[in-house]
Amino acid sequence: MKKYVLDLKVVSVEALSDKHVLIKLTDEKPLPEILPGQFVEVKVEHSPTTMLRRPISISEIDYDKKEATIVYRVEREGTAILSKMVAGQTIDTMGPQGNGFDISVVDAGQKALLVGGGIGVPPLVETAKQLKAKGVEVISVIGFANKDAVILEDKLRACGEVYVTTDDGSYGIKGYVSTVIDNFDWTPDAVY
């Protein structure tokens, strides 16, 4: 799959929690082919301490609107600078990167299990959307440290059944994603 360096324009920036940010990006040209589960390398401008690009998951793709959505956790200077971006600014991206998920391995009427924790949840959103569009039954099990860290549950719930776990039990089921999965009495046709 071909990689591109694109200056994508910020459509909107939304705080999902005190640490998580969602940015919608667009281009005048059609977006390149992006597989669910892929990511982009983002260059942080105007910072002497952030020379390397930041890998950030692509959470959603809308080819009709020419929009890609990225979601990340603010950790240090680079991601803090990105979180202060505003509509109309541009972000230098390189991608799509990574192999992505192969959704061709399941068909309509089969079950797919999506599993992620923390910042591993964003790439599951587009995966869930595309699987649902194929007629696959989507079951997501997502885990977080606590209630304040829960993100994108609503987006996944729009595609199927969702189980949420928190380490401290402040939301959903207390424990890890394995706490839920170990109690399933069925076998998925695919796991992402």
Side-chain angles (χ1 to χ4, degrees):
M1 180 174 279
K2 190 170 179 182
K3 310 293 183 225
Y4 299 87
V5 175
L6 299 171
D7 285 327
L8 298 177
K9 187 180 285 187
V10 175
V11 174
S12 63
V13 179
E14 176 187 349
L16 297 178
S17 73
D18 63 338
K19 286 279 225 183
H20 297 90
V21 177
L22 177 151
I23 299 181
K24 284 190 179 185
L25 301 167
T26 190
D27 197 5
E28 293 174 0
K29 301 181 296 294
L31 292 174
E33 179 188 4
I34 302 168
L35 298 175
Q38 288 189 302
F39 63 96
V40 289
E41 296 276 351
V42 176
K43 183 177 181 182
V44 179
E45 303 285 353
H46 313 298
S47 172
T49 62
T50 55
M51 296 176 291
L52 300 176
R53 290 177 178 267
R54 301 297 186 263
I56 299 178
S57 297
I58 299 167
S59 185
E60 293 183 80
I61 307 154
D62 186 328
Y63 289 107
D64 293 334
K65 292 183 178 179
K66 301 177 187 172
E67 288 182 355
T69 302
I70 59 174
V71 176
Y72 59 93
R73 183 176 52 228
V74 178
E75 285 293 329
R76 294 182 191 86
E77 184 180 351
T79 48
I81 289 170
L82 289 176
S83 70
K84 291 175 178 47
M85 301 285 294
V86 296
Q89 289 184 297
T90 59
I91 297 179
D92 180 321
T93 64
M94 184 170 41
Q97 302 286 342
N99 294 325
F101 297 132
D102 183 358
I103 64 168
S104 71
V105 299
V106 286
D107 295 311
Q110 292 185 303
K111 284 186 181 182
L113 175 62
L114 280 61
V115 183
I119 205 62
V121 172
L124 298 179
V125 174
E126 186 64 27
T127 309
K129 287 170 57 178
Q130 290 190 25
L131 289 168
K132 180 184 177 190
K134 284 182 65 171
V136 174
E137 182 182 349
V138 178
I139 297 95
S140 299
V141 183
I142 52 177
F144 303 92
N146 56 52
K147 180 180 180 177
D148 295 334
V150 177
I151 57 170
L152 304 171
E153 175 188 2
D154 57 333
K155 299 261 187 188
L156 289 170
R157 200 167 293 288
C159 298
E161 191 174 359
V162 177
Y163 297 87
V164 180
T165 67
T166 52
D167 298 350
D168 65 1
S170 58
Y171 185 78
I173 300 162
K174 182 179 170 112
Y176 305 114
V177 292
S178 58
T179 306
V180 172
I181 296 167
D182 288 346
N183 290 309
F184 284 156
D185 61 356
W186 54 273
T187 302
D189 298 293
V191 178
Y192 298 93

